[in-house]
Amino acid sequence: MTGWKHRWTFILAAAGSAVGLGNIWKFPYITGEYGGGAFVLVYLLCIATIGVPVMIAEVMIGRRGGANPIDSMRTVAVESGRSPWWSLLGIGGVAAGLLIMMFYSVVAGWALEYTWQSLTGSYVGRPAAEVSGHFSALTANFTTQMFWHGLFSLLTAAVVAAGVARGIGKSVEVMMPLLFLLLLVMVGYAVVEGDFARGAQFLLAPDFSKLSPKAVLVALGHAFFTLSLGMGAIMAYGAYMPGHASVAKSVLAIAAIDTLVSITAGLAIFPLVFSHNLEPGSGPGLMFVTLPIAFSEMSGGALVGTIFFVLVSIAALTSSISLIEPGVAWLEKRGFRRPPVTFALVAVTWLGGLFCIHSSAVFDALDALTARYMLPLGGLAIALFVGWQMKRSIAFSEIGIRSNALQLLWYVTLRFLSPICILAVFAHSLGLL
Ligand code: PHE
């Protein structure tokens, strides 16, 4: 992989990593499970006080280190006179990426299957109950899922094996705006056909009585998951960022795009949930049930459905490559050739995915382990490293904002507020706070 051509390529690639199934599939369903508006508010607070500062820190380490997360951590630690053992953080990140990929590619496989269903028009004009029944039938079918999950894994491997700069740079430039446009079309449909007022209220009006300690932990974990933080994906991409680009401004753009996509997806999905008397807390099937119902009733629904699920699949692909890339880049630097190590790593995650397909308990456990614990703890370590271990002069020379006040605001947030918030959420969820 060669360097990104300009600032925009980095922003688009990083936004491609951030915007994925986390926004369109996961965010709406966990918001439904954990009670709506209050959950969304905590999630937004986590993005602002933890996500943005930590993302700045990650990009900074990547650009300064100029390599995969394991080697970048070591380089920057040594440069700051600290222990080379900080590279362990990179190793944990590579592992987290592979573990996430195991269930992520299963869900992406569902999106591919729904692309096929839309293309063949199989749900058009069918009654809502039948359309929603397809999802339970799919998740009960091992072979079908194995096929689509395998196909998605192969696609991911093909892109990563070829190197990321050209393929991804170009494709995200076209796909990201298109995805956004289609989401707007879906919101338009939700306004006309759904119970928009109720959906919007559920998403945006906080009811704190519904906010459990676990919900707060899930919101924190999701802030990391959706921004691709805490495991080195953004660090790996940051390594290819040109020196003149502003880290802080790029990060703000990425976080804003990611958040807008999530909120838009929520506004497209919840109005349909309520107008069809579906359960907002019905879990991972939410997107795969509500949107096909909408498509089945629309004129031209097969076409819109096909385009939509193709875009979801592509959004998943621009994220999955960043789950594998840190490990691949690291092995490549150890002298292995990129294509074989890529296929080897993806073979491992494909096998892991079979366990997720076989048992939803494994699926849930991997999801919880990575999103709820590994990513926030990785993020905590990154905040502590940049805030307390890395030389301040290096951090300030990398951040790329002129205003001293803003620089200081970031630094103080990263040193104190972000770590304290992460620890407080953990303590709260353990019943200590
Ligand atoms: N951010 C991606 C999404 O929301 C998932 C992801 C997590 C990608 C961690 C890379 C690293 O779908």
Side-chain angles (χ1 to χ4, degrees):
M1 194 162 115
T2 51
W4 309 120
K5 288 267 153 32
H6 25 68
R7 187 167 92 97
W8 275 105
T9 324
F10 168 72
I11 293 179
L12 282 169
S17 168
V19 174
L21 297 171
N23 308 65
I24 309 169
W25 161 72
K26 201 175 194 196
F27 170 74
Y29 100 72
I30 55 177
T31 298
E33 279 183 337
Y34 292 99
F39 175 85
V40 176
L41 195 67
V42 175
Y43 152 79
L44 290 175
L45 280 175
C46 289
I47 295 279
T49 60
I50 304 168
V52 169
V54 169
M55 194 191 270
I56 292 176
E58 266 202 41
V59 176
M60 197 173 257
I61 299 170
R63 185 163 74 178
R64 188 74 178 192
N68 63 79
I70 300 175
D71 290 310
S72 288
M73 279 305 302
R74 183 184 301 105
T75 308
V76 177
V78 170
E79 189 186 11
S80 298
R82 305 294 177 175
S83 164
W85 285 101
W86 275 103
S87 60
L88 282 177
L89 190 54
I91 296 181
V94 167
L98 298 180
L99 291 173
I100 293 174
M101 181 64 181
M102 292 176 187
F103 68 89
Y104 202 83
S105 55
V106 172
V107 181
W110 298 341
L112 287 180
E113 202 269 352
Y114 271 82
T115 306
W116 176 248
Q117 294 297 331
S118 311
L119 197 66
T120 53
S122 70
Y123 53 67
V124 175
R126 314 300 302 172
E130 194 185 313
V131 178
S132 63
H134 179 75
F135 184 72
S136 18
L138 172 64
T139 48
N141 190 329
F142 186 87
T143 331
T144 312
Q145 288 185 89
M146 181 173 79
F147 171 76
W148 294 107
H149 152 66
L151 184 62
F152 182 80
S153 303
L154 274 179
L155 286 172
T156 304
V159 177
V160 178
V164 194
R166 270 190 208 148
I168 288 314
K170 283 274 170 294
S171 59
V172 288
E173 245 165 76
V174 181
M175 289 305 162
M176 300 302 292
L178 245 179
L179 177 78
F180 208 64
L181 195 76
L182 259 152
L183 273 175
L184 286 180
V185 172
M186 299 316 305
V187 175
Y189 179 81
V191 172
V192 179
E193 293 295 326
D195 191 341
F196 193 78
R198 197 149 158 231
Q201 196 199 5
F202 179 76
L203 192 67
L204 302 172
D207 173 359
F208 287 100
S209 66
K210 288 188 183 156
L211 199 66
S212 62
K214 190 175 166 203
V216 178
L217 182 63
V218 172
L220 171 76
H222 188 66
F224 280 96
F225 186 86
T226 191
L227 292 177
S228 306
L229 293 181
M231 51 69 68
I234 294 292
M235 205 185 279
Y237 279 9
Y240 307 103
M241 193 180 170
H244 61 269
S246 162
V247 171
K249 282 187 205 154
S250 310
V251 165
L252 282 176
I254 296 159
I257 294 173
D258 188 76
T259 307
L260 272 174
V261 172
S262 288
I263 299 293
T264 313
L267 288 176
I269 288 175
F270 284 113
L272 300 176
V273 169
F274 291 114
S275 65
H276 286 92
N277 289 322
L278 298 164
E279 211 3 83
S282 63
L286 196 65
M287 174 188 95
F288 293 101
V289 170
T290 47
L291 291 184
I293 290 179
F295 300 140
S296 74
E297 292 170 356
M298 274 181 200
S299 58
L303 180 65
V304 180
T306 306
I307 299 175
F308 181 80
F309 281 111
V310 165
L311 287 170
V312 172
S313 308
I314 286 166
L317 188 61
T318 56
S319 300
S320 64
I321 52 170
S322 71
L323 288 167
I324 301 293
E325 175 64 21
V328 170
W330 179 68
L331 286 169
E332 201 180 19
K333 211 166 174 216
R334 302 267 110 35
F336 295 98
R337 284 183 53 240
R338 176 172 273 262
V341 292
T342 305
F343 281 93
L345 285 186
V346 170
V348 170
T349 59
W350 179 76
L351 273 175
L354 294 184
F355 289 94
C356 298
I357 293 174
H358 178 68
S359 144
S360 64
V362 176
F363 183 110
D364 293 345
L366 275 183
D367 181 1
L369 171 70
T370 52
R372 248 175 255 169
Y373 299 101
M374 290 180 90
L375 300 185
L377 289 176
L380 174 65
I382 288 164
L384 294 176
F385 175 76
V386 173
W388 297 88
Q389 298 273 288
M390 187 169 153
K391 275 197 189 127
R392 192 181 307 193
S393 56
I394 300 181
F396 282 3
S397 75
E398 287 289 332
I399 187 168
I401 16 179
R402 283 204 203 93
S403 148
N404 286 335
L406 284 179
Q407 221 169 59
L408 205 64
L409 176 69
W410 165 73
Y411 200 58
V412 171
T413 309
L414 190 76
R415 287 185 85 155
F416 301 102
L417 191 61
S418 313
I420 290 172
C421 288
I422 296 173
L423 288 171
V425 171
F426 275 107
H428 187 51
S429 74
L430 292 172
L432 303 174
L433 251 184

